[in-house]
Amino acid sequence: MDPLVHRRAQLLAAGFSPKELRRLLRSGALSAVRPGAYVQGAPPEDTVARHLLLLYAALDELAADAVVSHVSAAVLHGLPVWGIPLDRVHVTRGSRSSGRRGRRVHVHAAPLESDEIVMVGGLTATSPARTLVDLARAVPFEQAVAVADAALHRHLIAPPDLAAALAHRPRWPGLPAARRALAFADARSESVGESRSRVAIARAGLPTPVLQWEVRRGDGRFVGQVDFGWPDLRTVGEFDGRAKYGALVRPGQDPAEVLYREKLREDELRAEDLAVVRWAWPDLDAFGAVAERLRRRFHSG
């Protein structure tokens, strides 16, 4: 059990009085994760970290056969859960149990095979394959693709495992949507931004790009790797996420140097008669302008 979560009953048993607990809560030394469950200091601002606290805080009220599932299992597996609500803890119990959707916990009732259950951080959770299928049946296409891309990229699962999980229960509700999302998933996508970009490109009706295209000169010398490439159309696409540039900055390195090196890299790409089209996170919510820039380049090339 996570030591960060303190139960009221445990604190009382340790000698704290109800009055002391109220004083600690008023002072901010303790914060309520949920009624009867506290964390020292302020709760984390990060929604994923808060969800983990909600999960551990809910353990006392869950049945012994409850298995962490859906988005809660994705969080346990360390997968990005962009755009998926984290206000409820999700668990699954065998199909003989009844499901319920409470304010803080959603209990799903569904069959669970032994190979669909794994241990993660001391908790029983659905396997990566089962987690992805459950999520892809329940969340929008874009969110499902982002989680599946990350699982494939991090080698938590291989495409044959996904195919087997989809085929295991062919009549489940939502399975057609899950098949579409998981068939679209690609291990070469390196971030949620790149996953969302792939979806946006497909929805705009643009040609399918080569992911992580390695650009080389005629003599074979490596020029650079780009997020999206259309070799025949002499165009590259780059998603400019803030985290991307942060990852490129080495300890002690000036961020301006990283930006300068990126400019030199882009100059080299252009020298190979490649147009470079860039976009950022805000563009993904209204991709039309970026799609039009790409189309103009495709036609002019």
Side-chain angles (χ1 to χ4, degrees):
M1 188 170 293
D2 194 305
L4 292 176
V5 177
H6 306 281
R7 270 78 179 169
R8 177 180 173 85
Q10 294 170 334
L11 292 172
L12 292 174
F16 289 89
S17 69
K19 184 176 180 180
E20 286 177 304
L21 293 182
R22 289 194 293 271
R23 185 173 69 249
L24 290 170
L25 287 167
R26 284 196 302 269
S27 70
L30 285 180
S31 298
V33 176
R34 54 175 294 169
Y38 314 108
V39 63
Q40 286 184 284
E45 294 185 6
D46 179 70
T47 56
V48 171
R50 286 206 305 270
H51 186 78
L52 279 174
L53 289 178
L54 286 173
L55 171 58
Y56 284 105
L59 292 179
D60 283 349
E61 75 174 52
L62 299 176
D65 63 344
V67 175
V68 180
S69 64
H70 295 76
V71 69
S72 299
V75 168
L76 277 183
H77 286 298
L79 294 171
V81 289
W82 167 82
I84 303 175
L86 292 171
D87 54 333
R88 289 182 179 86
V89 169
H90 289 257
V91 298
T92 295
R93 298 182 65 196
S95 57
R96 293 181 181 178
S97 307
S98 58
R100 63 179 175 86
R101 180 187 174 102
R103 190 162 62 89
R104 292 184 292 265
V105 178
H106 188 161
V107 179
H108 303 262
L112 278 169
E113 305 292 344
S114 59
D115 62 353
E116 295 176 315
I117 302 172
V118 297
M119 294 296 296
V120 185
L123 301 178
T124 55
T126 49
S127 65
R130 174 62 185 266
T131 300
L132 292 177
V133 171
D134 281 342
L135 272 180
R137 292 190 303 118
V139 304
F141 180 86
E142 192 174 10
Q143 285 86 329
V145 167
V147 181
D149 279 358
L152 290 168
H153 181 70
R154 299 174 190 184
H155 304 292
L156 288 180
I157 191 168
D161 301 321
L162 279 182
L166 286 167
H168 190 53
R169 296 187 178 90
R171 295 183 180 84
W172 268 11
L175 211 58
R179 289 194 188 100
R180 288 191 294 271
L182 299 182
F184 190 81
D186 195 307
R188 294 171 296 174
S189 191
E190 296 184 342
S191 69
V192 172
E194 290 184 19
S195 297
R196 292 190 65 200
S197 296
R198 292 202 307 114
V199 174
I201 288 166
R203 285 176 171 168
L206 296 169
T208 302
V210 176
L211 304 185
Q212 312 309 329
W213 179 36
E214 290 190 353
V215 179
R216 295 184 181 274
R217 293 190 186 279
D219 60 6
R221 187 171 70 84
F222 179 74
V223 176
Q225 179 174 294
V226 298
D227 297 335
F228 306 95
W230 290 269
D232 293 341
L233 297 168
R234 309 308 297 162
T235 305
V236 303
E238 292 277 70
F239 171 72
D240 291 335
R242 184 178 299 176
K244 175 178 179 177
Y245 290 109
L248 295 175
V249 180
R250 297 188 298 272
Q253 188 178 24
D254 185 352
E257 180 186 347
V258 173
L259 293 176
Y260 177 67
R261 290 171 65 88
E262 181 63 18
K263 179 187 180 302
L264 294 179
R265 170 178 170 274
E266 182 167 326
D267 289 343
E268 285 193 83
L269 292 171
R270 295 187 188 280
E272 294 301 306
D273 191 32
L274 289 168
V276 179
V277 178
R278 294 183 175 275
W279 59 88
W281 192 266
D283 297 313
L284 296 174
D285 292 322
F287 199 70
V290 176
E292 186 55 34
R293 294 208 313 269
L294 286 166
R295 287 192 189 97
R296 284 200 301 268
R297 167 57 197 177
F298 295 161
H299 293 153
S300 65

